[in-house]
Amino acid sequence: MKYLLNLIFPKVCEACNLALSDNEVLLCTSCRHHLPITNYHFENEEAVKKILYGRVKLENASALLHFSKKGIVQQILHNLKYRGHEEISSFFGKWLGSELATLNNYKDIDVIVPVPLYKTKLRSRGYNQVTKFGQEIAKALNADFNDSVLIKTKSTTTQVFKGRYKRWTDDGAIFNISEKESLAGKHILLVDDIITSGSTIESCARVLLNINNIKLSVATMAIAD
Ligand SMILES: [Zn+2]
């Protein structure tokens, strides 16, 4: 059946749309080699922290790929968010998870928390594009995955049109936390698909940091830097 479907709808590369050969998964060999890998978690943790410097206190921060407008990462994330290709989330999660698992900085992570979607967005998309990414990282780090602690309480579809300052002051109130107690004293890894201005991460971090005695780190699929 799978073979038959492949004949009718040949699997194509998530970045360039060329047909994949039998041994290629999600990306063709050429696009895979051209992915703009940051290696920040190995070489320059400060690069991601810099975006949030002076706004939230982080232990560790990394992003797997550089994001640029019209680049292949934008194409891949578009397929993940708007075309239902959720397997991209697992793919990046397994990849980054296996790398973070080799680093001492990430050994004491207790729980992975994804940036949540607003409930109507979640319903219309059918999935949070960060869930599988977070679940795979949790597996790799032997940590828990908790997508009920952080709740988005307001939709923010028009936020992109506002300036940076306005955006984060507005965002300040749109995330909430439940079950504070169970996470007290834990090292939380907050995960998202992309860091741009850092305002979403900052808003989430601000509410999470209300939990007693927690340590906070961040990992994303991509960063626009
Ligand atoms: Zn390709």
Side-chain angles (χ1 to χ4, degrees):
M1 186 62 188
K2 199 176 167 194
Y3 178 67
L4 200 64
L5 280 174
N6 277 348
L7 279 182
I8 305 166
F9 304 107
K11 287 218 155 68
V12 299
C13 172
E14 297 285 356
C16 72
N17 280 321
L18 289 178
L20 294 178
S21 60
D22 287 344
N23 58 348
E24 292 170 336
V25 182
L26 296 181
L27 295 167
C28 71
T29 309
S30 168
C31 287
R32 195 170 286 226
H33 285 145
H34 286 102
L35 280 177
I37 295 164
T38 69
N39 273 333
Y40 283 157
H41 40 292
F42 295 123
E43 291 162 9
N44 183 12
E45 283 255 322
E46 300 306 313
V48 185
K49 283 190 190 171
K50 221 188 278 168
I51 292 182
L52 292 150
Y53 187 77
R55 294 152 79 187
V56 281
K57 187 180 172 293
L58 297 175
E59 304 295 322
N60 318 296
S62 196
L64 185 62
L65 303 163
H66 292 289
F67 176 96
S68 58
K69 268 221 155 105
K70 312 253 189 240
I72 62 175
V73 175
Q74 182 180 36
Q75 181 60 43
I76 297 168
L77 292 183
H78 180 87
N79 288 340
L80 165 61
K81 278 172 87 163
Y82 304 110
R83 299 190 64 211
H85 299 184
E86 208 186 350
E87 60 275 25
I88 293 166
S89 189
S90 315
F91 172 74
F92 286 147
K94 277 181 197 155
W95 181 356
L96 186 58
S98 70
E99 295 189 351
L100 297 184
T102 67
L103 299 170
N104 280 330
N105 282 355
Y106 292 84
K107 285 219 157 57
D108 69 337
I109 302 271
D110 299 295
V111 56
I112 316 294
V113 172
V115 170
L117 296 180
Y118 187 58
K119 56 181 189 281
T120 52
K121 174 70 82 57
L122 182 61
R123 219 175 295 136
S124 62
R125 184 169 297 164
Y127 58 95
N128 179 338
Q129 70 274 10
V130 192
T131 298
K132 292 201 184 298
F133 179 69
Q135 286 170 337
E136 290 297 341
I137 293 175
K139 255 189 249 170
L141 297 181
N142 231 336
D144 293 329
F145 175 81
N146 186 331
D147 62 356
S148 58
V149 63
L150 199 57
I151 300 153
K152 192 165 187 180
T153 54
K154 206 172 89 184
S155 172
T156 43
T157 35
T158 57
Q159 298 289 320
V160 266
F161 300 110
K162 295 173 184 167
R164 180 184 274 202
Y165 178 76
K166 179 82 171 130
R167 194 159 48 213
W168 77 251
T169 50
D170 278 2
D171 273 9
I174 64 162
F175 293 98
N176 228 324
I177 37 173
S178 63
E179 53 172 304
K180 257 181 170 176
E181 299 73 20
S182 65
L183 292 180
K186 301 270 164 83
H187 187 173
I188 296 175
L189 180 69
L190 179 64
V191 295
D192 202 0
D193 48 0
I194 180 165
I195 296 184
T196 50
S197 69
S199 63
T200 304
I201 295 285
E202 178 180 2
S203 304
C204 291
R206 281 173 186 268
V207 290
L208 287 171
L209 289 166
N210 287 324
I211 301 171
N212 268 342
N213 216 6
I214 66 152
K215 291 199 284 183
L216 189 66
S217 293
V218 166
T220 65
M221 300 176 199
I223 183 166
D225 61 344

